[in-house]
Amino acid sequence: MEDLNKYHSVHPVLDATRPQVYIETYGCQMNVNDSEVVLSILQQAGYSLCTEMKQADLILVNTCSIRDNAEQRVLGRLDVFRLEKKRRKGVVVGILGCMAERLKDKLLEHPAVDIVAGPDAYRALPKLVAAVKASGKQINTILSHEETYADIAPVRMDRNGVSAYISIMRGCNNVCSYCIVPFVRGAERSRDAWSIVNEAKVLICNGYKEINLLGQNVDSYLWTNPADPTEKVDFADLLEKVALLDGTVRVRFATSHPKDMGEKVIRTMARHDNICKHIHLPVQSGSTVMLERMNRKYTRESYLAQIEMIRGIIPDCGITTDVIAGFSGETEQDHEETLSLFRKVRFDGAFMFQYSERPGTKASRHYPDDIPTEVKTSRLNEIIALQNTISMENNRECIGKEYEVLIEGTSKRSESELVGRTTHNRTCVFPAQGHKAGEYVTVRVHGCSSATLLAEII
Ligand code: 5AD
Ligand code: SF4
């Protein structure tokens, strides 16, 4: 492959003589990748990344609004930044991302905050910082129909140099009634397919071994070449283009939507060994009545049929999900249907939440938040307990089997142990035996917990 490195540095350029920027990131993988875009823009404007808040001239916090507790954590951090500003005059604090977009000038009232910048305003950051120095607090929360940051090469902030994110689209056109995302991230836009392929090439040239394609709803990715409208690239086409770049580089993607995910994507996954056999397919509820109220546009039955379709084509495909306990109007019967769907599907893993009403959403306007907190919590705990048992049973079935694993780094518990994942997204821990991050090894599983497979390199 041609050397694309001469054009970009994918890693932070650390230079203590430059003004220092410190970035804290909350929320989803897309936010992590947005922070990498922000760093790229600021590095271009002369800043250097620092890892300690105490060294920073500019403190940025990239925020999440998905549930109230995500926002509360950030508000707590603002008090810490306020103290830092008192200690060191001239430090500038900026709030970025979804909370900036949701709360707008309300955040500017906070004494710690100098800049409020929404998800489509990052190109303006250098100007906003300069304007703070000249004339005080600044805000830009304009949402765009076009911005995809396609021409900005993210500066990677991962620790291991093995796995990297590429955002393939921004925004969301679904209106799930509980969800704040369409309000804070704006309308859906698909990024230029060739800019995605080029970004993947740059990562591969830099030794990355896993590429994660990100979008709120990857199945609705569709790019039409403005120079030649007959050239259309859908998600399955894009997945294939990226997979064909290098057979030794894994490709993953998230998030799929049950209303849009079709057989073409699954067949594309099956055709390429390096497309990981894992789908994250949020179900949200096992009750069709709840799904209707959530405006998800699929039913319990159609979701189950999709799971069957996936397993028919890729029998051992890893499948994970998201679920919300205690949405408006959820009866004991609806909750039982969620539990029974979990028993039927036997997910490999799940992110499980209790419903948090978000101001401005359709649910906040039309459906009362009427499930008492204790009931939400007890339903959530029941789902968690069930899923833990299922994960444990699924993992036990892996004992004695062999898997190819991409090593991602050392384990949290011990320097002499490594962590990697199987194609199905199962995490394995095993003694290093001289191997290191970025290598593929074959391991045999000899034990497990509900979250991890314990293995040995063979
Ligand atoms: N309350 C609780 N969970 C939510 N999610 C999205 N909005 C809410 C909310 N208001 C969950 C969904 C989604 C995941 C990213 O967060 O399960 O898939
Ligand atoms: Fe990501 Fe949604 Fe949180 Fe925004 S609100 S950071 S899109 S999870």
Side-chain angles (χ1 to χ4, degrees):
M1 195 177 287
E2 75 216 89
D3 180 12
L4 293 155
N5 271 334
K6 53 186 186 234
Y7 305 115
H8 311 291
S9 164
V10 299
H11 300 295
V13 178
L14 302 175
D15 180 348
T17 65
R18 291 175 162 208
Q20 304 288 298
V21 57
Y22 167 80
I23 311 180
E24 243 171 56
T25 306
Y26 296 85
C28 60
Q29 296 169 327
M30 296 210 66
N31 248 22
V32 173
N33 190 234
D34 276 7
S35 290
E36 296 180 324
V37 167
V38 165
L39 179 58
S40 179
I41 290 166
L42 287 168
Q43 208 170 272
Q44 207 70 43
Y47 281 82
S48 166
L49 183 70
C50 64
T51 50
E52 296 289 329
M53 177 185 72
K54 293 190 160 41
Q55 295 160 356
D57 303 289
L58 174 60
I59 297 174
L60 297 176
V61 52
N62 197 355
T63 60
C64 174
S65 286
I66 197 96
R67 284 170 290 276
D68 185 59
N69 55 9
E71 293 199 346
Q72 294 308 323
R73 270 169 71 203
V74 169
L75 293 175
R77 289 300 288 159
L78 290 187
D79 295 330
V80 176
F81 299 151
R82 188 182 176 188
L83 289 178
E84 190 61 21
K85 281 179 60 150
K86 275 201 179 140
R87 247 196 304 272
R88 296 188 295 125
K89 293 276 170 267
V91 173
V92 173
V93 173
I95 298 225
L96 315 180
C98 299
M99 239 175 117
E101 193 61 48
R102 191 177 87 73
L103 295 167
K104 299 194 166 60
D105 35 5
K106 280 196 208 111
L107 278 174
L108 271 192
E109 288 163 18
H110 193 288
V113 178
D114 300 297
I115 296 171
V116 173
D120 290 341
Y122 299 148
R123 285 181 203 266
L125 274 173
K127 274 195 191 141
L128 292 171
V129 181
V132 167
K133 298 201 166 133
S135 51
K137 298 191 184 225
Q138 299 293 320
I139 180 164
N140 184 338
T141 52
I142 299 166
L143 285 175
S144 154
H145 283 273
E146 287 88 34
E147 181 63 274
T148 59
Y149 300 112
D151 57 318
I152 292 178
V155 175
R156 306 290 163 181
M157 287 194 272
D158 59 280
R159 297 242 164 98
N160 56 23
V162 176
S163 181
Y165 300 127
I166 301 183
S167 297
I168 64 166
M169 58 210 294
R170 297 182 73 81
C172 183
N173 279 356
N174 302 324
V175 259
C176 302
S177 59
Y178 51 80
C179 190
I180 195 74
V181 172
F183 300 91
V184 292
R185 291 219 161 232
E188 181 184 288
R189 305 132 256 175
S190 294
R191 178 178 161 186
D192 179 320
W194 297 110
S195 80
I196 297 168
V197 170
N198 274 331
E199 195 170 314
K201 281 187 190 167
V202 171
L203 289 168
I204 295 168
C205 283
N206 279 278
Y208 281 87
K209 291 286 172 204
E210 183 177 272
I211 289 168
N212 293 272
L213 303 179
L214 300 180
Q216 298 293 349
N217 177 2
V218 291
D219 301 291
S220 67
Y221 176 88
L222 183 64
W223 179 71
T224 307
N225 187 346
D228 171 12
T230 61
E231 186 189 6
K232 287 189 191 296
V233 180
D234 69 11
F235 179 60
D237 303 332
L238 179 73
L239 198 53
E240 183 148 74
K241 284 188 202 306
V242 177
L244 283 172
L245 291 176
D246 184 336
T248 72
V249 173
R250 283 181 168 183
V251 186
R252 295 185 184 276
F253 58 89
T255 297
S256 304
H257 195 305
K259 84 176 162 61
D260 298 316
M261 193 209 61
E263 217 177 295
K264 185 174 172 192
V265 168
I266 307 301
R267 295 217 176 269
T268 307
M269 290 170 75
R271 262 203 314 278
H272 297 274
D273 281 345
N274 62 328
I275 304 182
C276 288
K277 305 299 179 269
H278 169 229
I279 297 194
H280 184 62
L281 195 65
V283 68
Q284 313 300 4
S285 170
S287 150
T288 296
V289 177
M290 280 296 107
L291 291 171
E292 166 89 46
R293 218 169 153 87
M294 290 173 163
N295 200 27
R296 292 287 289 173
K297 304 201 161 83
Y298 56 88
T299 62
R300 173 190 176 89
E301 288 68 33
S302 70
Y303 185 90
L304 289 171
Q306 258 176 335
I307 299 286
E308 241 176 73
M309 181 271 283
I310 297 168
R311 289 184 171 152
I313 298 171
I314 307 172
D316 59 346
C317 194
I319 304 179
T320 54
T321 201
D322 293 345
V323 68
I324 301 175
F327 183 58
S328 169
E330 187 185 70
T331 62
E332 230 10 82
Q333 164 80 29
D334 294 318
H335 171 60
E336 283 301 325
E337 289 195 37
T338 295
L339 294 172
S340 91
L341 182 132
F342 269 59
R343 281 189 211 102
K344 259 201 167 115
V345 178
R346 299 182 63 78
F347 293 109
D348 292 271
F351 296 106
M352 298 163 275
F353 310 104
Q354 63 185 48
Y355 176 53
S356 164
E357 188 181 76
R358 310 310 292 129
T361 56
K362 183 172 175 210
S364 77
R365 284 178 280 122
H366 299 289
Y367 308 129
D369 184 10
D370 55 0
I371 307 299
T373 309
E374 315 79 72
V375 177
K376 285 181 187 171
T377 308
S378 93
R379 287 180 185 170
L380 175 63
N381 286 340
E382 234 180 302
I383 301 172
I384 293 173
L386 171 61
Q387 183 54 42
N388 281 348
T389 310
I390 292 169
S391 297
M392 188 70 187
E393 287 167 2
N394 285 344
N395 279 352
R396 277 213 193 101
E397 278 181 29
C398 299
I399 294 177
K401 294 190 180 147
E402 293 171 13
Y403 296 100
E404 185 181 62
V405 163
L406 172 61
I407 304 174
E408 290 173 19
T410 52
S411 100
K412 269 183 240 140
R413 269 183 307 174
S414 156
E415 281 285 306
S416 64
E417 286 190 322
L418 297 171
V419 187
R421 275 178 295 160
T422 70
T423 182
H424 325 94
N425 209 33
R426 298 195 185 110
T427 302
C428 290
V429 175
F430 45 90
Q433 293 180 23
H435 291 274
K436 57 179 194 313
E439 294 175 21
Y440 287 99
V441 287
T442 303
V443 300
R444 184 179 296 125
V445 178
H446 59 72
C448 67
S449 67
S450 63
T452 316
L453 299 176
L454 306 173
E456 230 150 65
I457 297 173
I458 52 170

